[in-house]
Amino acid sequence: MRYKGEIIVQETSKEKIAVPAMKRTVKDSVFTNLFGDTKYLIRLYRALHPEDTTTEEKDIENVTIRNILTDQQYNDLGFRIGNTVLLLLEAQSTWTANIAVRIMMYLMQTYNDYCTENGLDLYGSKKVSLPRPELYVIYTGDRKDHPEYISLNDEFWGGKAAVDAKVKIIYDGQPGDIINQYVTFTRVVNDQFKKYGRTQKAAEETIRICIDEDVLADYLKEKEVEVMDIMTTLFDEEEVTRRYGLRLQREKTEDIARNMLTDGIQIEKIAKYTGLSVSEVQALQNLQPV
């Protein structure tokens, strides 16, 4: 086994298989890269709280939870406004009620970190002060119905549990705000995927179109090379993962076929039940130990 860039190349007796490395530097998504910059993060906060005209960039602290075992992060984005408001956000293109579970877990971990950092005694008699949480999902997928919230209690326990987490779903934002621009960006990405596949051309066209249409234009102009790198790296990782998954499935199928051969099952039946061709099963039989 040897390392090549961010991918492990695993050598087997049959071929070399590229697999995702367990520990590697993974490029942030455009979402986390965009809002990792406080000048765009403040625009996100103002889109969520247009009534607050006094909060500035310096008042925002990024509290996104990082994974200590890998270079990835657990949640997409978390930030705090002083000691009053805590906002956790996820970008989601596939609908799932599980997001309420995940965000609840992020919230508890974030509160744990907050209490530790501020020396709060949860076992003392004095009530501690915690920032008020706000939980959001920016949903960019297709969906016929548009519920305003996902409720942990309603989804999983029929509203009968003692705890709940209500996650507000944002679909488009307001015209022209940075949430609306981000959602529009994802739609341009999808359109270019359909036209060019997951290629560099799709990434290039996405950036060009968005700049021309003033969609995240200042961000894309400033970080065009970085965004291109992020997008193409993500495409490559997805393709490697897909191919590795197919290879694993193939190996499992061949293992089943070998066991069936050992049990004396006819080659034609093995082919029928595994989906392998007769010639492929015969090749496996020829490799069986005598």
Side-chain angles (χ1 to χ4, degrees), residues 27-64:
K27 299 294 184 182
D28 287 342
S29 70
V30 171
F31 181 85
T32 54
N33 183 268
L34 170 65
F35 295 119
D37 188 327
T38 55
K39 68 183 176 185
Y40 300 112
L41 188 57
I42 188 65
R43 290 169 60 181
L44 173 62
Y45 174 70
R46 287 172 180 161
L48 297 170
H49 283 279
E51 78 287 353
D52 184 350
T53 59
T54 60
T55 295
E56 302 176 359
E57 286 182 42
K58 63 181 178 61
D59 301 318
I60 297 181
E61 181 181 356
N62 191 315
V63 292
T64 303

Side-chain angles (χ1 to χ4, degrees), residues 56-118:
E56 302 176 359
E57 286 182 42
K58 63 181 178 61
D59 301 318
I60 297 181
E61 181 181 356
N62 191 315
V63 292
T64 303
I65 302 172
R66 298 280 172 174
N67 190 331
I68 63 172
L69 298 179
T70 74
D71 292 323
Q72 291 176 314
Q73 56 198 45
Y74 279 123
N75 63 316
D76 285 344
L77 182 65
F79 62 100
R80 192 171 68 234
I81 309 298
N83 293 319
T84 58
V85 182
L86 171 67
L87 299 95
L88 301 182
L89 295 95
E90 291 285 301
Q92 190 78 24
S93 60
T94 304
W95 186 267
T96 173
N98 294 337
I99 192 66
V101 180
R102 297 206 304 268
I103 287 190
M104 172 66 97
M105 294 172 67
Y106 305 151
L107 178 62
M108 292 301 100
Q109 181 60 54
T110 305
Y111 275 143
N112 181 71
D113 294 344
Y114 179 83
C115 291
T116 300
E117 291 168 6
N118 290 277

Side-chain angles (χ1 to χ4, degrees), residues 59-218:
D59 301 318
I60 297 181
E61 181 181 356
N62 191 315
V63 292
T64 303
I65 302 172
R66 298 280 172 174
N67 190 331
I68 63 172
L69 298 179
T70 74
D71 292 323
Q72 291 176 314
Q73 56 198 45
Y74 279 123
N75 63 316
D76 285 344
L77 182 65
F79 62 100
R80 192 171 68 234
I81 309 298
N83 293 319
T84 58
V85 182
L86 171 67
L87 299 95
L88 301 182
L89 295 95
E90 291 285 301
Q92 190 78 24
S93 60
T94 304
W95 186 267
T96 173
N98 294 337
I99 192 66
V101 180
R102 297 206 304 268
I103 287 190
M104 172 66 97
M105 294 172 67
Y106 305 151
L107 178 62
M108 292 301 100
Q109 181 60 54
T110 305
Y111 275 143
N112 181 71
D113 294 344
Y114 179 83
C115 291
T116 300
E117 291 168 6
N118 290 277
L120 302 182
D121 182 8
L122 296 179
Y123 297 93
S125 58
K126 182 180 178 180
K127 182 173 69 174
V128 301
S129 178
L130 297 175
R132 173 175 55 83
E134 295 180 6
L135 313 176
Y136 299 92
V137 165
I138 297 178
Y139 182 70
T140 60
D142 296 324
R143 187 172 172 82
K144 293 181 179 179
D145 59 324
H146 292 76
E148 185 177 1
Y149 291 94
I150 297 177
S151 165
L152 179 68
N153 195 354
D154 291 345
E155 289 284 350
F156 291 89
W157 304 300
K160 298 179 180 179
V163 296
D164 195 12
K166 292 184 69 175
V167 184
K168 183 174 177 58
I169 315 300
I170 301 173
Y171 298 92
D172 293 302
Q174 297 300 314
D177 73 15
I178 199 163
I179 296 175
N180 179 262
Q181 290 185 52
Y182 171 75
V183 173
T184 301
F185 170 83
T186 66
R187 290 171 181 166
V188 174
V189 170
N190 290 338
D191 289 342
Q192 298 313 301
F193 282 172
K194 292 175 184 177
K195 190 172 182 179
Y196 298 107
R198 291 181 176 273
T199 62
Q200 182 171 332
K201 178 68 173 178
E204 291 172 348
E205 284 299 291
T206 294
I207 293 172
R208 181 190 65 78
I209 291 169
C210 287
I211 290 176
D212 288 348
E213 297 183 1
D214 199 23
V215 174
L216 300 180
D218 49 350

Side-chain angles (χ1 to χ4, degrees), residues 259-266:
N259 291 334
M260 295 174 77
L261 285 168
T262 301
D263 291 342
I265 298 175
Q266 295 179 351

